[in-house]
Amino acid sequence: MRITDWFLVMPTLVLAIVLATVMSRSMWTVVLAIGVTSWPTTARLVRAQTIAVESRPYIERATALGGGHRHVMTRHVLPNVMPLVLAQTTLGISTAILTEATLAFLGLGDPTVVSWGGMLQDAREAGAVSSGHWWYLAPPGIAIALVALAFTLCGRAVESVLNPKLGVGR
């Protein structure tokens, strides 16, 4: 967890920019940069949830009744942690989309791949901002915002369906 703490302290965008700058400009570099910067939050969340679930009385009872480590993990801990992991994954996708768009906007993405961030950078280079040509900026910007919002809302919906404690009283 000390390595996770170190990655959590590092600014994610700065670390992604450094990785994308040092390595060759390709899609795999962007994927690696996003992967290296996004895992610590999920790891910390899963660890905290697992510790919370393992401290519950029914886990102690299952162990006392002869349940092995594998049984306790697969039958009790994992079903209680998976909804959180699924919700965190869907929320992490929107963060990854924003990070990829940012890297492409900064010119650190794969130049052969069309990206919304690259479209925004092309519009900026063409002078769309200073000349007031908003129609060059609006479609990729709105697309980034809508897709990120869609994944965030899907994550919240999945979390509310899988976690009955979060549901509204019926």
Side-chain angles (χ1 to χ4, degrees):
M1 287 314 293
R2 297 302 136 225
I3 294 170
T4 305
D5 291 339
W6 185 81
F7 274 100
L8 281 171
V9 171
M10 294 294 292
T12 57
L13 185 59
V14 173
L15 186 59
I17 289 171
V18 168
L19 285 172
T21 304
V22 171
M23 301 175 72
S24 65
R25 291 175 47 184
S26 69
M27 185 55 71
W28 291 109
T29 301
V30 173
V31 169
L32 181 70
I34 291 170
V36 165
T37 59
S38 64
W39 70 268
T41 306
T42 304
R44 173 65 76 171
L45 193 64
V46 168
R47 179 179 183 269
Q49 183 69 16
T50 302
I51 289 172
V53 168
E54 284 181 341
S55 68
R56 293 184 182 157
Y58 66 87
I59 301 293
E60 201 173 302
R61 287 184 205 122
T63 305
L65 290 172
H69 186 68
R70 172 171 278 169
H71 173 78
V72 170
M73 289 301 291
T74 58
R75 299 287 181 178
H76 301 290
V77 176
L78 197 58
N80 286 308
V81 173
M82 282 311 292
L84 182 69
V85 171
L86 185 60
Q88 178 64 23
T89 300
T90 57
L91 294 174
I93 290 171
S94 63
T95 304
I97 290 169
L98 293 172
T99 304
E100 190 279 330
T102 303
L103 290 174
F105 178 78
L106 295 174
L108 299 173
D110 189 356
T112 62
V113 175
V114 176
S115 171
W116 289 326
M119 289 176 166
L120 288 172
Q121 174 63 12
D122 292 342
R124 190 193 66 79
E125 286 177 356
V129 176
S130 60
S131 61
H133 296 143
W134 59 268
W135 50 89
Y136 289 123
L137 298 169
I142 291 171
I144 291 169
L146 286 178
V147 171
L149 179 65
F151 274 107
T152 302
L153 293 176
C154 285
R156 291 184 60 108
V158 166
E159 185 179 17
S160 67
V161 166
L162 294 178
N163 191 351
K165 294 176 189 173
L166 297 177
V168 179
R170 295 179 182 147

